[in-house]
Amino acid sequence: AEAAWRRGADVVLVHGPLSAPPPVGAARKAVESTQDMAEAVASEVGSADVLVMAAAPADFRPAQVASAKIKKTGTAPTLALE
């Protein structure tokens, strides 16, 4: 991202949590979920000449999100995905 910016590109970095400092010069859109990431990329890609993606988001998500820790029971848990 920084190399493209240094060459004159307008760069938008759509990212989740970062373990390294963000690149210099890039506009940033922080997201928390893969759905947020998909929406942020979709909102930017229409005006882009190039799209570079390096994320590893999940292809699936839980059909139902628990509001608290799921306790163990005597049977194996079932995880429904969508």
Side-chain angles (χ1 to χ4, degrees), residues 14-67:
V14 178
H15 65 86
L18 297 174
S19 59
V24 172
R28 298 180 2 215
K29 285 193 172 186
V31 298
E32 293 191 18
S33 70
T34 54
Q35 183 66 38
D36 294 341
M37 185 172 284
E39 291 170 5
V41 170
S43 74
E44 293 294 333
V45 76
S47 61
D49 294 324
V50 175
L51 171 64
V52 177
M53 298 190 319
D59 291 327
F60 301 96
R61 63 179 176 212
Q64 184 176 15
V65 178
S67 60

